[in-house]
Amino acid sequence: MSPNAVGGAPKTLAQRVDRPRISDLAYEDVLRAILDHRFQPGQRLSIRELAKRLGISQMPVRTAIDRLAEEGLVDIRPRSGSYVRQVDERDVAETFDIRRALDQLAAETAVHNATEEDIAELEDLVVQMDDFDATGSNGMKRHDRLNWQFHLLIVGLSGNEKLYHMYKQLNAHLTIASVHVSNRDWAKRVPQAQREHRAMIQALRARSAEDLSLVLADHAKRSKLALVGDIRRRR
């Protein structure tokens, strides 16, 4: 007897392959809604409504919600439902500390793997971040997106897939935290951040892991203090 036939009729290839893909798509959809601020911290996530909107059954949505809960992005409360997690200042501080450690690890190999094309792409992102609209939330969202692309590219140059995946998860936590604050002073921090971004590019071009590690560490420490301070002032 075929192993697929145990406990019932054999599953088709579509049944074996498509279900994980559907839950992955549901996961990406809900995660993107959280990162784009369409789902706010503390907001209840209705599995039924999500399934209806996505045009799929509730099971893959439930699987996606469970995955987000395992990653600490969603709270599942018995007899109550699932909610976008509300991140506090301790979570933010600890997340930045872990991110800083991952930055150091990425720096060790990124300087050896970066090509001229990679460096040109980083320079282009910095130029785009120079052009920002300090009014309203759209300017901040665009800048945050470009900033994240910049840092993710550097981490990707490490060639370490597990490191890359962990780094992406950490960013989701920090993005949720940023939803808590309406920071009118964010634009004032851009010039310093841009100087640090250019220093990172210079370190990559010089193939100096030590210089890249130092500027990444200072960048993460400053970002940590800024976001924790914003959360405290929001209380």
mmCIF file of all heavy atoms in Angstrom, residues 110-112 114-124 157 197-209 211-212:
data_model
loop_
_atom_site.group_PDB
_atom_site.id
_atom_site.type_symbol
_atom_site.label_atom_id
_atom_site.label_comp_id
_atom_site.label_asym_id
_atom_site.label_seq_id
_atom_site.Cartn_x
_atom_site.Cartn_y
_atom_site.Cartn_z
ATOM 1 N N ALA A 110 30.311 39.998 4.376
ATOM 2 C CA ALA A 110 29.735 40.904 3.372
ATOM 3 C C ALA A 110 30.818 41.686 2.642
ATOM 4 O O ALA A 110 30.713 41.926 1.428
ATOM 5 C CB ALA A 110 28.743 41.860 4.036
ATOM 6 N N VAL A 111 31.852 42.096 3.360
ATOM 7 C CA VAL A 111 32.911 42.901 2.739
ATOM 8 C C VAL A 111 33.662 42.109 1.669
ATOM 9 O O VAL A 111 34.239 42.701 0.744
ATOM 10 C CB VAL A 111 33.908 43.418 3.804
ATOM 11 C CG1 VAL A 111 33.229 44.407 4.737
ATOM 12 C CG2 VAL A 111 34.528 42.263 4.589
ATOM 13 N N HIS A 112 33.676 40.801 1.781
ATOM 14 C CA HIS A 112 34.375 39.971 0.795
ATOM 15 C C HIS A 112 33.473 39.595 -0.383
ATOM 16 O O HIS A 112 33.972 39.303 -1.472
ATOM 17 C CB HIS A 112 34.894 38.700 1.462
ATOM 18 C CG HIS A 112 35.814 38.956 2.613
ATOM 19 N ND1 HIS A 112 37.030 39.596 2.470
ATOM 20 C CD2 HIS A 112 35.685 38.680 3.948
ATOM 21 C CE1 HIS A 112 37.620 39.699 3.658
ATOM 22 N NE2 HIS A 112 36.830 39.153 4.559
ATOM 23 N N ALA A 114 30.748 41.513 -1.558
ATOM 24 C CA ALA A 114 30.133 42.651 -2.261
ATOM 25 C C ALA A 114 30.820 42.908 -3.598
ATOM 26 O O ALA A 114 32.045 43.038 -3.665
ATOM 27 C CB ALA A 114 30.192 43.899 -1.392
ATOM 28 N N THR A 115 30.019 42.993 -4.644
ATOM 29 C CA THR A 115 30.533 43.331 -5.970
ATOM 30 C C THR A 115 30.338 44.819 -6.218
ATOM 31 O O THR A 115 29.657 45.521 -5.452
ATOM 32 C CB THR A 115 29.788 42.531 -7.050
ATOM 33 O OG1 THR A 115 28.407 42.948 -7.066
ATOM 34 C CG2 THR A 115 29.862 41.033 -6.774
ATOM 35 N N GLU A 116 30.915 45.312 -7.316
ATOM 36 C CA GLU A 116 30.718 46.707 -7.675
ATOM 37 C C GLU A 116 29.246 46.992 -7.960
ATOM 38 O O GLU A 116 28.743 48.080 -7.672
ATOM 39 C CB GLU A 116 31.564 47.060 -8.899
ATOM 40 C CG GLU A 116 33.049 47.208 -8.592
ATOM 41 C CD GLU A 116 33.330 48.270 -7.534
ATOM 42 O OE1 GLU A 116 32.694 49.349 -7.581
ATOM 43 O OE2 GLU A 116 34.172 48.026 -6.657
ATOM 44 N N GLU A 117 28.553 46.001 -8.518
ATOM 45 C CA GLU A 117 27.114 46.161 -8.774
ATOM 46 C C GLU A 117 26.346 46.288 -7.461
ATOM 47 O O GLU A 117 25.407 47.097 -7.350
ATOM 48 C CB GLU A 117 26.582 44.978 -9.580
ATOM 49 C CG GLU A 117 27.046 44.921 -11.023
ATOM 50 C CD GLU A 117 28.487 44.429 -11.166
ATOM 51 O OE1 GLU A 117 29.033 43.906 -10.173
ATOM 52 O OE2 GLU A 117 29.043 44.561 -12.268
ATOM 53 N N ASP A 118 26.720 45.492 -6.465
ATOM 54 C CA ASP A 118 26.071 45.577 -5.148
ATOM 55 C C ASP A 118 26.290 46.954 -4.535
ATOM 56 O O ASP A 118 25.356 47.570 -3.992
ATOM 57 C CB ASP A 118 26.629 44.502 -4.204
ATOM 58 C CG ASP A 118 26.312 43.096 -4.652
ATOM 59 O OD1 ASP A 118 25.208 42.880 -5.190
ATOM 60 O OD2 ASP A 118 27.159 42.205 -4.465
ATOM 61 N N ILE A 119 27.512 47.426 -4.598
ATOM 62 C CA ILE A 119 27.834 48.728 -4.012
ATOM 63 C C ILE A 119 27.096 49.843 -4.749
ATOM 64 O O ILE A 119 26.584 50.790 -4.129
ATOM 65 C CB ILE A 119 29.358 48.959 -4.046
ATOM 66 C CG1 ILE A 119 30.048 47.977 -3.079
ATOM 67 C CG2 ILE A 119 29.710 50.401 -3.673
ATOM 68 C CD1 ILE A 119 31.568 48.006 -3.127
ATOM 69 N N ALA A 120 26.980 49.716 -6.063
ATOM 70 C CA ALA A 120 26.235 50.708 -6.843
ATOM 71 C C ALA A 120 24.763 50.715 -6.447
ATOM 72 O O ALA A 120 24.118 51.781 -6.379
ATOM 73 C CB ALA A 120 26.380 50.416 -8.330
ATOM 74 N N GLU A 121 24.211 49.536 -6.170
ATOM 75 C CA GLU A 121 22.810 49.456 -5.743
ATOM 76 C C GLU A 121 22.617 50.118 -4.383
ATOM 77 O O GLU A 121 21.627 50.824 -4.152
ATOM 78 C CB GLU A 121 22.366 47.993 -5.690
ATOM 79 C CG GLU A 121 20.890 47.818 -5.384
ATOM 80 C CD GLU A 121 20.430 46.367 -5.439
ATOM 81 O OE1 GLU A 121 21.218 45.494 -5.875
ATOM 82 O OE2 GLU A 121 19.276 46.106 -5.035
ATOM 83 N N LEU A 122 23.557 49.906 -3.477
ATOM 84 C CA LEU A 122 23.490 50.549 -2.161
ATOM 85 C C LEU A 122 23.580 52.061 -2.298
ATOM 86 O O LEU A 122 22.849 52.806 -1.628
ATOM 87 C CB LEU A 122 24.625 50.034 -1.267
ATOM 88 C CG LEU A 122 24.497 48.595 -0.773
ATOM 89 C CD1 LEU A 122 25.807 48.121 -0.162
ATOM 90 C CD2 LEU A 122 23.364 48.464 0.253
ATOM 91 N N GLU A 123 24.459 52.528 -3.180
ATOM 92 C CA GLU A 123 24.603 53.972 -3.400
ATOM 93 C C GLU A 123 23.316 54.562 -3.970
ATOM 94 O O GLU A 123 22.914 55.676 -3.591
ATOM 95 C CB GLU A 123 25.778 54.236 -4.338
ATOM 96 C CG GLU A 123 27.122 53.967 -3.696
ATOM 97 C CD GLU A 123 28.284 54.146 -4.660
ATOM 98 O OE1 GLU A 123 28.074 53.893 -5.868
ATOM 99 O OE2 GLU A 123 29.386 54.530 -4.197
ATOM 100 N N ASP A 124 22.667 53.833 -4.845
ATOM 101 C CA ASP A 124 21.398 54.304 -5.415
ATOM 102 C C ASP A 124 20.322 54.427 -4.340
ATOM 103 O O ASP A 124 19.550 55.387 -4.339
ATOM 104 C CB ASP A 124 20.935 53.347 -6.512
ATOM 105 C CG ASP A 124 19.618 53.792 -7.141
ATOM 106 O OD1 ASP A 124 19.592 54.872 -7.769
ATOM 107 O OD2 ASP A 124 18.614 53.064 -6.996
ATOM 108 N N LEU A 157 24.464 40.092 1.568
ATOM 109 C CA LEU A 157 25.809 39.909 1.049
ATOM 110 C C LEU A 157 26.638 38.960 1.913
ATOM 111 O O LEU A 157 27.703 38.509 1.486
ATOM 112 C CB LEU A 157 26.523 41.263 0.944
ATOM 113 C CG LEU A 157 25.980 42.214 -0.125
ATOM 114 C CD1 LEU A 157 26.658 43.565 -0.037
ATOM 115 C CD2 LEU A 157 26.154 41.615 -1.511
ATOM 116 N N HIS A 197 25.147 55.553 6.579
ATOM 117 C CA HIS A 197 24.951 54.686 5.417
ATOM 118 C C HIS A 197 26.129 54.820 4.446
ATOM 119 O O HIS A 197 26.628 53.821 3.904
ATOM 120 C CB HIS A 197 23.643 55.048 4.698
ATOM 121 C CG HIS A 197 22.424 54.646 5.454
ATOM 122 N ND1 HIS A 197 21.222 55.321 5.344
ATOM 123 C CD2 HIS A 197 22.196 53.625 6.328
ATOM 124 C CE1 HIS A 197 20.323 54.742 6.119
ATOM 125 N NE2 HIS A 197 20.884 53.720 6.729
ATOM 126 N N ARG A 198 26.568 56.043 4.216
ATOM 127 C CA ARG A 198 27.689 56.258 3.298
ATOM 128 C C ARG A 198 28.986 55.686 3.879
ATOM 129 O O ARG A 198 29.863 55.210 3.130
ATOM 130 C CB ARG A 198 27.828 57.749 2.979
ATOM 131 C CG ARG A 198 26.696 58.260 2.076
ATOM 132 C CD ARG A 198 26.899 59.710 1.634
ATOM 133 N NE ARG A 198 25.990 60.028 0.526
ATOM 134 C CZ ARG A 198 24.768 60.519 0.658
ATOM 135 N NH1 ARG A 198 24.276 60.752 1.874
ATOM 136 N NH2 ARG A 198 24.022 60.757 -0.405
ATOM 137 N N ALA A 199 29.116 55.730 5.207
ATOM 138 C CA ALA A 199 30.291 55.133 5.849
ATOM 139 C C ALA A 199 30.282 53.613 5.690
ATOM 140 O O ALA A 199 31.339 52.987 5.539
ATOM 141 C CB ALA A 199 30.329 55.504 7.329
ATOM 142 N N MET A 200 29.091 53.022 5.706
ATOM 143 C CA MET A 200 28.981 51.575 5.480
ATOM 144 C C MET A 200 29.448 51.219 4.074
ATOM 145 O O MET A 200 30.175 50.236 3.876
ATOM 146 C CB MET A 200 27.532 51.124 5.689
ATOM 147 C CG MET A 200 27.021 51.251 7.106
ATOM 148 S SD MET A 200 25.235 50.869 7.209
ATOM 149 C CE MET A 200 24.799 51.715 8.737
ATOM 150 N N ILE A 201 29.026 52.019 3.096
ATOM 151 C CA ILE A 201 29.425 51.773 1.715
ATOM 152 C C ILE A 201 30.935 51.928 1.562
ATOM 153 O O ILE A 201 31.601 51.127 0.887
ATOM 154 C CB ILE A 201 28.686 52.734 0.766
ATOM 155 C CG1 ILE A 201 27.184 52.424 0.765
ATOM 156 C CG2 ILE A 201 29.250 52.632 -0.650
ATOM 157 C CD1 ILE A 201 26.343 53.402 -0.032
ATOM 158 N N GLN A 202 31.490 52.930 2.213
ATOM 159 C CA GLN A 202 32.933 53.148 2.152
ATOM 160 C C GLN A 202 33.685 51.950 2.738
ATOM 161 O O GLN A 202 34.709 51.511 2.191
ATOM 162 C CB GLN A 202 33.303 54.423 2.909
ATOM 163 C CG GLN A 202 34.779 54.780 2.853
ATOM 164 C CD GLN A 202 35.085 56.076 3.571
ATOM 165 O OE1 GLN A 202 34.180 56.791 4.006
ATOM 166 N NE2 GLN A 202 36.357 56.402 3.705
ATOM 167 N N ALA A 203 33.168 51.394 3.848
ATOM 168 C CA ALA A 203 33.805 50.230 4.473
ATOM 169 C C ALA A 203 33.723 49.008 3.570
ATOM 170 O O ALA A 203 34.678 48.220 3.477
ATOM 171 C CB ALA A 203 33.143 49.940 5.817
ATOM 172 N N LEU A 204 32.593 48.851 2.887
ATOM 173 C CA LEU A 204 32.455 47.735 1.947
ATOM 174 C C LEU A 204 33.445 47.881 0.795
ATOM 175 O O LEU A 204 34.084 46.901 0.389
ATOM 176 C CB LEU A 204 31.018 47.689 1.399
ATOM 177 C CG LEU A 204 29.955 47.046 2.291
ATOM 178 C CD1 LEU A 204 28.570 47.336 1.742
ATOM 179 C CD2 LEU A 204 30.180 45.536 2.392
ATOM 180 N N ARG A 205 33.575 49.080 0.277
ATOM 181 C CA ARG A 205 34.486 49.305 -0.840
ATOM 182 C C ARG A 205 35.944 49.076 -0.407
ATOM 183 O O ARG A 205 36.760 48.593 -1.206
ATOM 184 C CB ARG A 205 34.302 50.713 -1.376
ATOM 185 C CG ARG A 205 35.194 51.044 -2.549
ATOM 186 C CD ARG A 205 34.795 52.327 -3.255
ATOM 187 N NE ARG A 205 33.698 52.101 -4.201
ATOM 188 C CZ ARG A 205 32.512 52.679 -4.144
ATOM 189 N NH1 ARG A 205 32.244 53.527 -3.164
ATOM 190 N NH2 ARG A 205 31.588 52.427 -5.052
ATOM 191 N N ALA A 206 36.243 49.408 0.846
ATOM 192 C CA ALA A 206 37.599 49.206 1.368
ATOM 193 C C ALA A 206 37.823 47.769 1.848
ATOM 194 O O ALA A 206 38.931 47.432 2.271
ATOM 195 C CB ALA A 206 37.864 50.181 2.517
ATOM 196 N N ARG A 207 36.791 46.946 1.803
ATOM 197 C CA ARG A 207 36.862 45.556 2.270
ATOM 198 C C ARG A 207 37.294 45.481 3.736
ATOM 199 O O ARG A 207 38.022 44.582 4.144
ATOM 200 C CB ARG A 207 37.838 44.733 1.416
ATOM 201 C CG ARG A 207 37.597 44.837 -0.080
ATOM 202 C CD ARG A 207 36.246 44.303 -0.485
ATOM 203 N NE ARG A 207 35.980 44.510 -1.917
ATOM 204 C CZ ARG A 207 34.819 44.226 -2.510
ATOM 205 N NH1 ARG A 207 33.827 43.722 -1.793
ATOM 206 N NH2 ARG A 207 34.642 44.448 -3.789
ATOM 207 N N SER A 208 36.797 46.453 4.535
ATOM 208 C CA SER A 208 37.158 46.500 5.950
ATOM 209 C C SER A 208 35.992 46.025 6.807
ATOM 210 O O SER A 208 35.043 46.776 7.062
ATOM 211 C CB SER A 208 37.547 47.928 6.356
ATOM 212 O OG SER A 208 37.769 47.994 7.752
ATOM 213 N N ALA A 209 36.064 44.772 7.276
ATOM 214 C CA ALA A 209 35.017 44.230 8.139
ATOM 215 C C ALA A 209 34.972 44.972 9.463
ATOM 216 O O ALA A 209 33.899 45.171 10.043
ATOM 217 C CB ALA A 209 35.260 42.741 8.370
ATOM 218 N N ASP A 211 35.719 48.214 10.076
ATOM 219 C CA ASP A 211 35.052 49.515 9.922
ATOM 220 C C ASP A 211 33.545 49.337 9.729
ATOM 221 O O ASP A 211 32.747 50.091 10.301
ATOM 222 C CB ASP A 211 35.636 50.265 8.729
ATOM 223 C CG ASP A 211 37.038 50.781 8.999
ATOM 224 O OD1 ASP A 211 37.471 50.737 10.167
ATOM 225 O OD2 ASP A 211 37.706 51.205 8.036
ATOM 226 N N LEU A 212 33.169 48.351 8.921
ATOM 227 C CA LEU A 212 31.746 48.118 8.684
ATOM 228 C C LEU A 212 31.059 47.705 9.974
ATOM 229 O O LEU A 212 29.956 48.173 10.287
ATOM 230 C CB LEU A 212 31.552 47.035 7.621
ATOM 231 C CG LEU A 212 30.095 46.678 7.281
ATOM 232 C CD1 LEU A 212 29.325 47.908 6.806
ATOM 233 C CD2 LEU A 212 30.044 45.576 6.222
#
